[in-house]
Amino acid sequence: SAAMIVTLVLLGQVLELRARHRTGEALRSLLDLAPAEAVRVGEDGTESTVPLAQVRSGDRLRVRPGARVPVDGALLEGSGAVDESMVTGESMPVAKRPGDALVGGTVNGHGSLVMRAERVGSQTLLAGIVRAVAAAQRSRAPVQALADRVSAWFVPAVVAVAVLAALAWFALGPEPRLAHAIVVAVSTLVIACPCALGLATPMAMTVAMGRGAQAGILFRDAASLERLQEVDTVVFDKTGTLTAGRPAVVTVIPVDGVADTELLRFAASLEQASEHPLAAAVVVAAKARGIRLGRSYGF
């Protein structure tokens, strides 16, 4: 009996630790959206790679095509399209020109950019999102208050029942009475232990918020997550949010006298040298149809 009790308790702790570790992975995945290093541009134009922790407000940073924006700041030189789906949920990249704001963790699609760092470290929007997720996981849901109220009465009642059962076995039970009384008391406490009542709800909330963060869904607090069970209709304020995350060619409509495959071949041949997401969609559509592309001259 003792070995079984210890085994079950340890198994419960292992399951709890695994759940918390998976939840921690959600926060770590958010933190990983920021690159570990940044390319700093010196006053003389030289570039050097430095750890992200050494970036200071006012530094000029180079963001190469395909790289993540290291910190929040403003675009100084260059132009390009930045994937801000991490923040907005929109799959279409946003065109950036000098003076526009850049958010740390977003992806520069094409074009070499030079930015000025303005908010670094814990001041970035990404760090704020991580703090919001962590705070939401620590918040208490209304159902937890109910569990606490029930536990406040349940625990003393269980202790009282265990004591009465032990006294009954000690007075009326067979020999050895003391041994039987102790076994009965401990068994009553173990079986009626309200561990699940106090742990299941917060653990479910923590894991659910972690999984939501991995899917790009952030909850303000545990109460919001609990109220979600009552939702039967979800309304989105704009189109383009629920997509595969990348543009694709659906239909080709040429003018009279031009075959759609010929039009797609010309368009894809011109666009194959471009890094723009719309250009990539045209090239992918042409290759999917088995169209052989012509030589590109970098238009």
Side-chain angles (χ1 to χ4, degrees), residues 171-253:
L172 305 174
E175 294 293 344
R177 295 180 179 181
L178 180 60
H180 284 96
I182 294 176
V183 170
V184 168
V186 172
S187 300
T188 303
L189 292 175
V190 171
I191 294 172
C193 177
C195 293
L197 190 64
L199 295 177
T201 299
M203 184 57 55
M205 292 291 179
T206 302
V207 173
M209 290 182 182
R211 292 294 299 273
Q214 289 178 331
I217 303 173
L218 305 181
F219 294 94
R220 184 183 300 274
D221 49 34
S224 302
L225 178 59
E226 183 179 339
R227 288 196 299 269
L228 190 62
Q229 66 174 337
E230 304 173 1
V231 174
D232 56 8
T233 304
V234 179
V235 179
F236 292 90
D237 63 341
K238 50 191 172 182
T239 59
T241 301
L242 303 179
T243 68
R246 58 185 180 278
V249 175
V250 178
T251 306
V252 179
I253 305 177

Side-chain angles (χ1 to χ4, degrees), residues 10-247:
L10 292 178
L11 177 61
Q13 292 180 350
V14 170
L15 295 177
E16 178 184 355
L17 290 174
R18 287 187 61 186
R20 291 190 181 277
H21 178 72
R22 291 178 180 177
T23 301
E25 288 180 351
L27 293 179
R28 287 189 291 271
S29 64
L30 288 176
L31 291 171
D32 289 342
L33 291 178
E37 298 176 330
V39 180
R40 177 187 291 161
V41 181
E43 295 295 335
D44 56 355
T46 58
E47 299 181 1
S48 58
T49 302
V50 297
L52 189 63
Q54 295 183 10
V55 176
R56 299 292 181 265
S57 179
D59 287 350
R60 297 171 71 242
L61 306 175
R62 171 80 64 183
V63 185
R64 297 189 175 96
R68 290 188 178 274
V69 178
V71 296
D72 296 356
L75 181 59
L76 297 178
E77 302 174 11
S79 61
V82 178
D83 180 4
E84 296 185 341
S85 58
M86 177 200 77
V87 178
T88 63
E90 294 288 349
S91 59
M92 284 300 297
V94 179
K96 296 293 183 179
R97 299 290 184 270
D100 292 344
L102 296 176
V103 179
T106 57
V107 181
N108 178 24
H110 72 281
S112 182
L113 310 178
V114 176
M115 63 173 294
R116 180 180 63 249
E118 295 180 347
R119 292 183 295 276
V120 300
S122 61
Q123 300 176 347
T124 63
L125 178 61
L126 179 60
I129 293 175
V130 173
R131 287 195 300 271
V133 173
Q137 290 179 340
R138 293 192 300 269
S139 63
R140 296 175 60 83
V143 70
Q144 291 179 250
L146 175 62
D148 292 342
R149 289 195 298 270
V150 173
S151 298
W153 292 95
F154 185 76
V155 173
V158 169
V159 173
V161 170
V163 172
L164 291 176
L167 292 176
W169 275 85
F170 183 75
L172 305 174
E175 294 293 344
R177 295 180 179 181
L178 180 60
H180 284 96
I182 294 176
V183 170
V184 168
V186 172
S187 300
T188 303
L189 292 175
V190 171
I191 294 172
C193 177
C195 293
L197 190 64
L199 295 177
T201 299
M203 184 57 55
M205 292 291 179
T206 302
V207 173
M209 290 182 182
R211 292 294 299 273
Q214 289 178 331
I217 303 173
L218 305 181
F219 294 94
R220 184 183 300 274
D221 49 34
S224 302
L225 178 59
E226 183 179 339
R227 288 196 299 269
L228 190 62
Q229 66 174 337
E230 304 173 1
V231 174
D232 56 8
T233 304
V234 179
V235 179
F236 292 90
D237 63 341
K238 50 191 172 182
T239 59
T241 301
L242 303 179
T243 68
R246 58 185 180 278

